[in-house]
Amino acid sequence: MTIRPLVIIPDSKLRLVSEPVQEITSEIRRLADDMLETMYDAPGVGLAAIQIGIPVRMVTMDVSKTEDERQPMVLINPEILWASEEKRVYEEGCLSIPEYYEEVERPDRVRFRYMNLEGATIEQDADGLLATCVQHEIDHLNGVLFIDYLSKLKRDRVVTKFKKAAKREAGA
Ligand code: K2U
Ligand code: ZN
């Protein structure tokens, strides 16, 4: 397993729409392993393949409370089937937008469907952090970032900050 470098804004890769996984190959299994290791190392509770530069529709999540009861999830071609009218506000962060947190409103409960690494199709209901996380990750697969839900002023401010940092990095 390998910890892979994270793609950070303003990298335009993060705006790609990722391609469906056609077949669960050994490469896909290796990618899932690397995504889990990268996610735990970050640390994060979710990670989309595009965040390590691979535009395929696969995400990993683990919203378990403590390290000794890890419950890793690998979601292949995940999709939201239903979302509640009721909304919930959660202070979100993103491993591709380091050290930036803002409140985002999303549906409180969702039903989602995905394929697991064994090829089984699973439908699952979620609320709380899992609901927020799966919506955040599926957004990544569609090139959507949580800053897209903020005001233009806030979004432009954070993008400008990371563009300046990237320029300094390039010039260093
Ligand atoms: O996709 C990612 O960038 C990982 C996200 C997943 C996430 C974002 C918002 C809300 C829940 C999950 C996070 O950076 S993982 C770090 C984290 C952990 C707990 C709560 C919020 C953020
Ligand atoms: Zn994110």
Side-chain angles (χ1 to χ4, degrees), residues 26-74:
S26 55
E27 288 78 19
I28 286 291
R29 293 179 194 287
R30 170 65 191 266
L31 176 60
D33 281 348
D34 290 356
M35 286 174 65
L36 283 167
E37 186 168 9
T38 304
M39 181 185 81
Y40 287 126
D41 177 72
V45 296
L47 188 73
I50 193 59
Q51 292 182 274
I52 56 171
I54 313 293
V56 297
R57 301 186 79 83
M58 182 157 71
V59 307
T60 54
M61 298 191 305
D62 186 339
V63 294
S64 57
K65 295 276 180 297
T66 60
E67 195 144 318
D68 55 13
E69 55 160 81
R70 278 183 174 172
Q71 294 165 338
M73 297 176 73
V74 176

Side-chain angles (χ1 to χ4, degrees), residues 43-46 51 90 92-96 129 132-133 136-137 140:
V45 296
Q51 292 182 274
Y90 195 93
E92 297 196 15
C94 182
L95 298 178
S96 296
L129 179 58
T132 296
C133 186
H136 179 109
E137 300 311 333
H140 272 301

